[in-house]
Structure formats: structure tokens, C-alpha cells
């Protein structure tokens, strides 16, 4: 077998084995719970900004951006801005690779690729840090509730003219809020691209893991996305991504637009 095909087949066999390996899957779930209790997710930066994500999910994001090649990424939830910078850095890499392939000079400040970041409260110190970041020209920051009519209208207007749209939902994690975000932003996702719903793993964790949060098992992003999917067959859960990661906060949350 040709070497590249042989490697792909070896990987396929590993992933098929993971799906049947209940011990490995249980161990991964237990590790996820234990690490959440220890705030492990707060340990990482991306290009100088704190990013409250697991490394596995960061890796999935960069793979999706490379695969989909979006010219617009919409993100709800900003916090310290690390996720926005991850997205912007990947879009900048796409610009660089396109320029290299075409043999053209690149003006990085003139990129047509953008990241729209939405948060109900962009704290001054985080805004200042993002304003000072070299990737700032790729960012469009919107302060307001992600589900407010004016916010959604602003995003829709900003999205006009973009051909390939990828969406990440990671703000308030209650069922009602995420369902409203899905209704607002999932329709903007282009065919073949994704809407990724983060923190859907709440449904599979013990209730005492979130004592001071307005979400819990039974009321969280996973319950919302399953309700949304019942009336939106244009999206399907891409389980293969989760199957490769084994540790992810986006359980059932990689939604691919297929129609």
C-alpha cells in the first residue's frame, strides 16, 4: 500500500478501536471530570492571550479552519480573547498560504478574512489587550448579548459578502440561551462548514461540578443542540471529530451543515 494511504488506514483502525474501547472512553471521561475540578482548562495561552479551552479542542479548531477555509468566523463568548486570537491566527495562516501558492505579495492588514467576537461584557483590560495585539485588524468586536435582536442584526450585516462561514458558540451555557444562539447563528453557517457548540459536556458531568452556574445536567448546550437538530436536518453531528479527540468539552457539539 502507498505510504500515505497506509498511514491513513492505520489511523482509521486506531479510531475504530477507540469507539469500541469502553475502558479508554471511561478513562477519558473521568480525566475530563477530574481536570475540570482542578481548573486545568485555565492553564493555556494562544499567542499571548489566555484561552479557556482544552488543547484537544484547540487542535480541533485549527483542523476545522484548515479544512473549511472560512473567510468569516463568528464566535460568541470572548473572555480574555484567546479563542479569537486562535481563530485570527489561523485565518492569517490561510492568507499566507494563499499568497505563497499564488506567488503574490501579502498585505496582512488588508485581509478579507475576519473574526467576529461577541460578548455581553468585553472587560476594559481584555479589550485593551486585544487592541494591542498584532492580529487586531482581523477582529470585529461586538459588545452585547449574543441573542439580542440588535446584536444578531449587526452580525448578519457584517457577514454580508462572506462566502464561507464557521461558527463557534461558547458564551452562556444554559439550554434556552444556546438554543437561541443556534436559531440566530447556525443559519449563517455555509454548507460543508460547522457550528461548534462548546461545553455540551455539562450534560455528562456530575451536577456538583457547576454549583455556581446557571447550567447543569438537563439544562445545557447538549440538551439545546439536540432540540435544535430535531427540526433542522440540514445539520448533523460529526462524531468522528469527537472520536479522535477522546477528551473534549464539545460532546455531540461538532455540527456539520450538510444541506
Amino acid at each position: 500500500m502507498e505510504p500515505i494511504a497506509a498511514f491513513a488506514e492505520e489511523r482509521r483502525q486506531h479510531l475504530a478501536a477507540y469507539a469500541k474501547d469502553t475502558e479508554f472512553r471511561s478513562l477519558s471521561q473521568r480525566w475530563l471530570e477530574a481536570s475540570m475540578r482542578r481548573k486545568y482548562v485555565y492553564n493555556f495561552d494562544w499567542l499571548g492571550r489566555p484561552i479557556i479551552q482544552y488543547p484537544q479542542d484547540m487542535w480541533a479548531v485549527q483542523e476545522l479552519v484548515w479544512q473549511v477555509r472560512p473567510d468569516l468566523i463568528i464566535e460568541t463568548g470572548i473572555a480574555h480573547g484567546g479563542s479569537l486570537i486562535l481563530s485570527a491566527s489561523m485565518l492569517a495562516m490561510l492568507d499566507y498560504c494563499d499568497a505563497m501558492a499564488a506567488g503574490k505579495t501579502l498585505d496582512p492588514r488588508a485581509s478579507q478574512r475576519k473574526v467576529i467576537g461577541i460578548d455581553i461584557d468585553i472587560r476594559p483590560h481584555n479589550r485593551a489587550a486585544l487592541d494591542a495585539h498584532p492580529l487586531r485588524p482581523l477582529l470585529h468586536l461586538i459588545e452585547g448579548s449574543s441573542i439580542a435582536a440588535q446584536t444578531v442584526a449587526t452580525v448578519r450585516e457584517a457577514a454580508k459578502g462572506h462566502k464561507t462561514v464557521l461558527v463557534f458558540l461558547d458564551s452562556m451555557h444554559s439550554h434556552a440561551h444556546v438554543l437561541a444562539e443556534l436559531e440566530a447563528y447556525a443559519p449563517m453557517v455555509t454548507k460543508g462548514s460547522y457550528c461548534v457548540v462548546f461545553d455540551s459536556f455539562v450534560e455528562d458531568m456530575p451536577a456538583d461540578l457547576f454549583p455556581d452556574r446557571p447550567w447543569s445536567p438537563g439544562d445545557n448546550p447538549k440538551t439545546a443542540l439536540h432540540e435544535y437538530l430535531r427540526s433542522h436536518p440540514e445539520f448533523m453531528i460529526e462524531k468522528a471529530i469527537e472520536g479522535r479527540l477522546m477528551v473534549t468539552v464539545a460532546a455531540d457539539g461538532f455540527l456539520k451543515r450538510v444541506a
Side-chain angles (χ1 to χ4, degrees):
M1 185 182 292
E2 187 272 330
I4 294 177
F7 180 80
E9 175 58 22
E10 181 181 0
R11 174 185 284 178
R12 188 197 65 75
Q13 291 178 10
H14 288 163
L15 296 179
Y18 294 170
K20 301 175 183 178
D21 191 336
T22 55
E23 181 181 1
F24 185 28
R25 297 177 71 83
S26 176
L27 179 63
S28 298
Q29 194 75 350
R30 294 200 308 274
W31 187 89
L32 180 60
E33 178 188 340
S35 65
M36 284 298 298
R37 293 189 185 280
R38 292 161 176 81
K39 298 189 181 296
Y40 170 88
V41 74
Y42 287 87
N43 292 344
F44 307 101
D45 293 346
W46 189 273
L47 298 185
R49 295 306 302 149
I51 178 169
I52 306 172
Q53 295 286 6
Y54 276 77
Q56 289 89 339
D57 288 323
M58 295 183 225
W59 201 263
V61 165
Q62 67 83 24
E63 286 194 0
L64 284 181
V65 174
W66 184 256
Q67 172 189 331
V68 172
R69 303 183 67 82
D71 58 356
L72 179 65
I73 298 175
I74 300 170
E75 298 196 23
T76 65
I78 292 178
H80 298 274
S83 181
L84 295 185
I85 296 301
L86 169 58
S87 291
S89 68
M90 286 303 301
L91 296 187
M93 184 63 72
L94 291 179
D95 283 343
Y96 177 84
C97 291
D98 286 349
M100 286 286 286
K104 294 182 178 180
T105 301
L106 173 65
D107 178 358
R109 289 182 172 270
S111 177
Q112 298 303 301
R113 291 184 166 104
K114 299 295 177 186
V115 182
I116 297 176
I118 308 154
D119 203 295
I120 197 167
D121 179 20
I122 305 175
R123 296 179 181 178
H125 61 283
N126 289 330
R127 183 184 287 274
L130 289 172
D131 285 345
H133 200 280
L135 289 172
R136 181 63 174 88
L138 279 73
L139 304 181
H140 180 178
L141 304 181
I142 299 174
E143 188 167 43
S145 169
S146 60
I147 60 174
Q150 182 57 54
T151 302
V152 176
T154 300
V155 174
R156 283 181 181 149
E157 183 63 28
K160 287 181 179 178
H162 289 280
K163 297 179 180 178
T164 306
V165 181
L166 181 62
V167 169
F168 300 134
L169 302 181
D170 193 13
S171 60
M172 243 278 285
H173 303 310
S174 70
H175 177 104
H177 187 90
V178 175
L179 184 59
E181 284 191 333
L182 283 164
E183 296 287 0
Y185 299 106
M188 301 185 201
V189 175
T190 46
K191 185 178 178 180
S193 187
Y194 291 79
C195 178
V196 181
V197 182
F198 286 96
D199 282 12
S200 50
F201 82 122
V202 171
E203 178 69 6
D204 308 310
M205 290 288 115
D208 71 342
L209 199 60
F210 316 99
D212 58 346
R213 301 292 188 178
W215 51 81
S216 62
D219 179 2
N220 57 74
K222 183 182 275 190
T223 60
L225 73 87
H226 280 286
E227 179 174 336
Y228 182 80
L229 290 175
R230 283 196 288 272
S231 58
H232 291 274
E234 68 272 24
F235 283 93
M236 60 164 283
I237 297 172
E238 180 65 88
K239 290 294 286 186
I241 298 173
E242 184 181 343
R244 287 190 291 113
L245 300 178
M246 294 303 294
V247 172
T248 177
V249 303
D252 284 359
F254 293 95
L255 307 183
K256 183 175 184 178
R257 183 154 197 172
V258 295

